[in-house]
Amino acid sequence: VKEAGRDFTYFIVVLVGIGVTGGLFYVIFKELFSSSSPSKIYGDALEKCRSHPEIIGVFGDSIKGYGEATRRGRRQFVSHIEYIKDGLKHMRLKFYIEGSETGKRGTVHVEVKENPERGRFEFRYIFVDIDTYPGRTIVIEDNR
């Protein structure tokens, strides 16, 4: 009886471990491969910035993007907010870009809106505020 109780305890511990591992894989898969994740939207918006001729003209060829700086100095967090308007999900993102031109930096503002027919987010607007002198705004996409 004592050994059976110990085996049952080990069985429960293994089941809990499998459950936790499965939950972690689900969260990681959803964050990396979902079309509605902030990471995916950030990647798509950054690619649109990298391929836009006016952005390339201001920042140069090799444009890199980054998020807010953490206390450790890492810039991986992309600021985003999700909200519901008229029964549809919306998301706004803000991240930063800089290019090969020295001293050129910009702030990218993105808004996406859920398309209920396709079940994925579509860009409403992307615009880049150039933070260095002379300051101006470049509109990449405006589908309002």
Side-chain angles (χ1 to χ4, degrees):
V1 173
K2 192 175 184 182
E3 193 172 317
R6 186 174 36 191
D7 291 344
F8 182 72
T9 303
Y10 290 152
F11 178 70
I12 295 298
V13 168
V14 168
L15 279 180
V16 169
I18 290 172
V20 168
T21 303
L24 286 172
F25 279 129
Y26 172 75
V27 169
I28 290 170
F29 181 79
K30 184 178 177 192
E31 180 65 26
L32 292 178
F33 300 111
S34 172
S35 65
S36 62
S37 74
S39 299
K40 176 75 169 141
I41 294 168
Y42 159 74
D44 293 345
L46 183 59
E47 283 306 312
K48 286 183 182 269
C49 290
R50 286 178 175 158
S51 63
H52 194 270
E54 198 172 351
I55 298 289
I56 293 170
V58 171
F59 292 97
D61 287 332
S62 63
I63 296 172
K64 63 180 180 176
Y66 54 91
E68 301 287 336
T70 62
R71 282 186 271 163
R72 293 182 177 176
R74 296 184 179 159
R75 299 177 177 180
Q76 296 173 340
F77 177 72
V78 175
S79 175
H80 71 281
I81 184 169
E82 297 180 39
Y83 63 95
I84 296 178
K85 181 179 173 187
D86 299 329
L88 296 174
K89 291 181 187 177
H90 290 68
M91 188 183 309
R92 287 186 182 155
L93 286 87
K94 180 176 91 169
F95 62 93
Y96 306 97
I97 59 173
E98 51 183 49
S100 57
E101 294 288 325
T102 56
K104 295 285 186 175
R105 290 186 309 266
T107 305
V108 181
H109 302 273
V110 180
E111 183 170 338
V112 292
K113 175 180 163 183
E114 180 185 39
N115 183 341
E117 296 153 4
R118 297 180 64 197
R120 42 186 316 180
F121 282 102
E122 294 178 346
F123 288 99
R124 288 192 64 204
Y125 62 76
I126 301 173
F127 64 90
V128 180
D129 285 331
I130 300 173
D131 298 338
T132 53
Y133 184 80
R136 64 180 178 143
T137 300
I138 301 171
V139 178
I140 295 175
E141 192 164 311
D142 189 5
N143 294 334
R144 290 189 234 183

